[in-house]
Amino acid sequence: MDTPLDPAVLSAIFILIVYLVGGAVYRLYLSPIAKFPGPKLAALTLWYEFYFDVVKRGRYSWEIAKMHEHYGNIEAPRPIVRINPYEIHINDPEYIDDVYPGSSRRTMKWDWAAKMFATKSATLSTISHELHRTRRGSLASFFSKSSVQQLEPVVQSVVKTLVLRLQALKGSGTNLNVLNLYSSLTGDIISQYAFGRSYNFLDTSDFAPHWSEAWLATSRNGHLLKQFGWLEPILRRMPAWMVKYVSKDTLLVINMQKNLFNQVVEVQTQLRENRKITGQKTIFTDVLLNEQIRPEEKTAAHLAVEANVLVGAGTTTTAHI
């Protein structure tokens, strides 16, 4: 004789079914963004985005472009499509001032999306409008037109090194990985600007392939952490051999962040001992010497995550351009 299910189990199953059906009805028909066209599966669940960004390794941007064409046409793509249960995607310059209003409108970053940066203390992933404005103010001057112009001698010097390396390799029949080459170029420039000393990747025989791979791993890892933000603190507490087994990309990212933390600590030590490697303007030395910046923004932990974003953007983003 079959044993009947416990009433508590039946109640739990019933509640789960009601929750799932109710959630599906709300997302498809009652959500404030239900009126926008898009795949029904994308409207129902974040697993649709997971498939393209994690399984197919960052292909959701291309899928979104296809959505605009599918729900409009190639000549006149649909300007707004729904890409998941909570977001729409706009492909229309008429909306630029509405989407990017500047500091005039209080705008909060979406917490779920910010998880992909693996830290909420960096300016890039700061959720609060007011705190983001404060943190951005600490760094904005380093990327003004005048500051970048002052960096020109550094850029020219590093480019000259690259030219000499290429001239030396001319006629040798050596195959070059252009991504590694340009990542070494941009890495040497941003490290000089950030810390006052170059990594000298252009002087390595193979143009430091580990450097570009580490930042590509950071990008890939971001898609995973966006979907499963709770993974990051767990992986950080695991021994290195276990992290490598679970996610090689995450281990590369963690090691990169540890190295950047040590470089920030080195800058702090130099200042305490009244030592400075170069008279050139550098980001983290100048931040630490700036009395108008809050002490909270000068801790090694905070500056290390800012370094992670700045060095990463200065390396891989620029290299891909």
Side-chain angles (χ1 to χ4, degrees):
M1 184 176 179
D2 294 335
T3 303
L5 285 175
D6 186 282
V9 174
L10 288 172
S11 297
I13 294 174
F14 176 75
I15 292 172
L16 177 62
I17 292 173
V18 171
Y19 172 78
L20 292 175
V21 172
V25 170
Y26 175 80
R27 290 179 175 184
L28 287 174
Y29 304 108
L30 303 178
S31 167
I33 59 175
K35 63 182 179 181
F36 295 102
K40 295 300 182 185
L41 192 56
L44 275 174
T45 176
L46 289 165
W47 288 105
Y48 190 82
E49 181 175 334
F50 170 89
Y51 172 73
F52 286 100
D53 263 350
V54 179
V55 178
K56 300 194 75 173
R57 299 167 76 93
R59 299 298 301 178
Y60 202 40
S61 295
W62 282 263
E63 184 64 18
I64 290 172
K66 292 179 182 178
M67 291 181 197
H68 285 288
E69 294 179 3
H70 177 75
Y71 294 98
N73 54 64
I74 296 178
E75 289 75 22
R78 189 82 182 193
I80 304 176
V81 293
R82 187 179 185 182
I83 62 172
N84 66 36
Y86 312 104
E87 289 183 286
I88 58 175
H89 188 275
I90 302 174
N91 184 23
D92 188 336
E94 293 294 327
Y95 287 88
I96 287 178
D97 291 336
D98 295 314
V99 177
Y100 302 105
S103 60
S104 60
R105 186 181 75 196
R106 190 172 184 269
T107 307
M108 309 291 279
K109 188 179 290 291
W110 188 26
D111 180 66
W112 187 81
K115 292 184 298 183
M116 70 183 299
F117 303 113
T119 173
K120 294 180 181 178
S121 64
T123 301
L124 179 65
S125 54
T126 298
I127 295 170
S128 164
H129 175 88
E130 290 78 16
L131 183 55
H132 177 271
R133 188 173 183 177
T134 298
R135 287 175 172 168
R136 182 177 179 274
S138 301
L139 299 170
S141 64
F142 295 102
F143 301 97
S144 66
K145 183 177 180 180
S146 60
S147 293
V148 173
Q149 286 176 334
Q150 291 176 26
L151 188 64
E152 186 175 348
V154 172
V155 175
Q156 290 181 342
S157 175
V158 177
V159 170
K160 182 179 179 180
T161 300
L162 173 60
V163 171
L164 292 174
R165 281 298 314 276
L166 293 177
Q167 288 175 341
L169 290 169
K170 183 179 178 181
S172 67
T174 303
N175 293 322
L176 294 179
N177 183 312
V178 177
L179 179 57
N180 293 343
L181 186 150
Y182 281 119
S183 294
S184 294
L185 172 71
T186 54
D188 283 355
I189 292 171
I190 190 62
S191 60
Q192 183 69 44
Y193 193 30
F195 300 108
R197 62 181 180 85
S198 172
Y199 292 149
N200 294 321
F201 289 137
L202 286 176
D203 293 330
T204 61
S205 60
D206 55 359
F207 294 103
H210 71 280
W211 180 245
S212 60
E213 175 55 29
W215 291 112
L216 289 175
T218 301
S219 300
R220 293 191 296 265
N221 203 53
H223 294 304
L224 180 65
L225 294 181
K226 184 179 180 182
Q227 303 289 335
F228 306 111
W230 48 268
L231 264 179
E232 191 261 343
I234 293 176
L235 290 171
R236 283 188 182 278
R237 288 169 174 77
M238 289 182 178
W241 66 266
M242 190 178 296
V243 176
K244 184 177 181 180
Y245 179 78
V246 175
S247 173
K248 182 181 177 182
D249 283 350
T250 300
L251 181 61
L252 287 171
V253 172
I254 290 174
N255 288 337
M256 175 72 70
Q257 292 174 345
K258 286 180 179 178
N259 289 335
L260 290 169
F261 178 85
N262 291 336
Q263 290 175 65
V264 169
V265 171
E266 182 182 344
V267 173
Q268 290 177 322
T269 302
Q270 290 170 4
L271 292 176
R272 281 197 301 270
E273 297 176 355
N274 293 319
R275 292 187 293 114
K276 191 175 180 183
I277 295 177
T278 174
Q280 169 211 329
K281 180 178 181 178
T282 60
I283 295 174
F284 293 104
T285 298
D286 288 20
V287 165
L288 288 166
L289 290 174
N290 190 338
E291 296 181 355
Q292 296 183 356
I293 295 177
R294 304 185 313 161
E296 298 93 322
E297 315 302 327
K298 295 182 179 182
T299 65
H302 174 70
L303 291 179
V305 296
E306 294 287 22
N308 187 66
V309 174
L310 293 176
V311 175
T315 295
T316 192
T317 306
T318 312
H320 279 77
I321 294 175

